[in-house]
Amino acid sequence: MPIKRVGVVGSGIMGAGIAETVAVHGMEVVLRSRAQTTADGMVAGMEKSLARQVEKGKLDEADRDAAMGRVTAVSDLGELAGCDLVIESVVEDLGVKKHLFSELDRICPDETVLATNTSTLPVVEMAMETGRPEKVCGIHFFNPAPVMSLVEVVRPITASDETIATATSLAEACEKTPVVVKDQAGFIVNALLFPYLNNAVRLLENGVASRDDIDTAMKGGCGFPMGPLALLDLVGLDTSVAILDALYDEFRDPNYATVPLLRRMVAAELFGRKSGKGFYDYHR
Ligand SMILES: NC(=O)c1ccc[n+]([C@@H]2O[C@H](COP(=O)([O-])OP(=O)(O)OC[C@H]3O[C@@H](n4cnc5c(N)ncnc54)[C@H](O)[C@@H]3O)[C@@H](O)[C@H]2O)c1
């Protein structure tokens, strides 16, 4: 099924990035946040982000204007009724996502594909909240969505081949590289990445090395573009704890057991870049 209009639910880091990616690649986007002011703020953020790309010569002005013209910001979930595919990117909380899927199922026509951008949670449980489990899958973008080339297409046991083909073609239409993966916590990337990130915090907590030396070591020693503590700040420490908890719930592997320091930092609202402070200070 060709996708012409995409609904994006959630106005956080990922919702904004996915909406921008989809709009730049020629599809209409209906952006939904619970508050209209937040939805409008996302459009303003997108305008700034695209202006930077124009300045850098990566996008021409006509394409920027066309992309902005394809975006509508709404607060009423009912406005998503005209979308061919809806992707949710709200907080990593299974209860919140399940409730949202039951609402989307009520609002959207039977042929609409419903997708989640979850990092770890069981997609099948969201699918079973709907009357169309065969039309539900994961479409997992990476952060920042306009830049990162990978998309994991997550296949719950309930999904049809057609749904997976639709999700894969959306990723391709966004010039991403899709990989198809089973609906198992963490899929490919986070199942491998999060023990590493968690153990980096353990090294810091145990005083084995300083923050800067841990990040410098992994950049210089492994050729990674950023160190693990800077990456946790980019992902968001709250989201990271939710991801680790979901991985631990599924596998009971101690490498996935959230290191106490990480949980304490979330309790102190040190969420990383989005709150201005995490392992690093972004107020400066
Ligand atoms: N941060 C990353 O690097 C990353 C990468 C890939 C996927 N994801 C996934 O994307 C999703 C969103 O993550 P994010 O990093 O954008 O988070 P975020 O904290 O930046 O944004 C979360 C959004 O959820 C909304 N929200 C919170 N409670 C809600 C509720 N009860 N009902 C509806 N909306 C609610 C918030 O208003 C906000 O818009 C999560 O499922 C996460 O696992 C995150």
Side-chain angles (χ1 to χ4, degrees):
M1 183 178 77
I3 303 293
K4 293 197 182 115
R5 182 180 282 210
V6 176
V8 178
V9 187
S11 50
I13 311 170
M14 291 307 293
I18 294 167
E20 177 182 321
T21 306
V22 169
V24 164
H25 289 88
M27 288 162 273
E28 285 175 36
V29 180
V30 184
L31 203 54
R32 189 269 180 176
S33 181
R34 288 172 295 177
Q36 187 64 42
T37 45
T38 315
D40 293 339
M42 281 176 84
V43 175
M46 195 184 297
E47 206 148 11
K48 273 194 198 155
S49 167
L50 295 185
R52 279 196 299 273
Q53 292 182 41
V54 170
E55 269 168 38
K56 288 181 189 161
K58 291 183 179 167
L59 188 73
D60 61 42
E61 287 186 13
D63 288 343
R64 175 203 54 199
D65 294 346
M68 290 311 303
R70 286 191 281 269
V71 179
T72 317
V74 304
S75 58
D76 176 8
L77 209 58
E79 303 269 352
L80 299 172
C83 294
D84 305 310
L85 182 147
V86 176
I87 178 165
E88 72 73 24
S89 193
V90 302
V91 65
E92 186 78 338
D93 178 308
L94 188 56
V96 171
K97 288 189 191 282
K98 281 167 78 166
H99 178 68
L100 180 58
F101 269 83
S102 67
E103 293 276 279
L104 290 171
D105 188 48
R106 191 174 50 74
I107 289 160
C108 298
D110 292 346
E111 50 287 4
T112 303
V113 169
L114 303 179
T116 172
N117 184 43
T118 183
S119 302
T120 37
L121 296 170
V123 181
V124 66
E125 292 199 31
M126 298 171 222
M128 293 307 287
E129 289 297 311
T130 74
R132 65 183 89 186
E134 73 288 354
K135 289 212 167 289
V136 176
C137 69
I139 304 181
H140 185 215
F141 284 83
F142 288 79
N143 184 11
V147 175
M148 300 299 277
S149 65
L150 185 71
V151 167
E152 290 177 325
V153 174
V154 183
R155 174 168 207 150
I157 49 177
T158 40
S160 68
D161 290 346
E162 195 190 354
T163 298
I164 299 307
T166 302
T168 303
S169 66
L170 174 77
E172 285 167 349
C174 292
E175 294 183 272
K176 302 295 185 194
T177 306
V179 292
V180 179
V181 53
K182 257 178 28 180
D183 177 24
Q184 175 180 291
F187 318 126
I188 301 170
V189 173
N190 286 336
L192 295 173
L193 177 65
F194 269 84
Y196 156 66
L197 297 180
N198 198 34
N199 281 309
V201 183
R202 201 187 312 277
L203 289 184
L204 182 70
E205 188 176 56
N206 291 342
V208 174
S210 68
R211 172 196 74 180
D212 290 351
D213 284 353
I214 291 169
D215 277 358
T216 300
M218 294 313 291
K219 284 191 285 182
C222 292
F224 291 171
M226 68 200 306
L229 303 174
L231 181 53
L232 280 161
D233 276 358
L234 176 72
V235 170
L237 270 52
D238 51 342
T239 302
S240 297
V241 167
I243 290 171
L244 280 163
D245 285 350
L247 283 161
Y248 188 75
D249 260 7
E250 184 120 312
F251 300 112
R252 303 284 156 184
D253 176 336
N255 283 302
Y256 293 131
T258 303
V259 167
L261 174 61
L262 196 52
R263 213 180 280 286
R264 294 297 180 277
M265 288 177 73
V266 171
E269 298 181 0
L270 300 170
F271 297 144
R273 285 193 195 194
K274 65 181 160 189
S275 66
K277 201 167 187 320
F279 291 103
Y280 293 82
D281 192 342
Y282 301 89
H283 287 119
R284 280 168 285 142

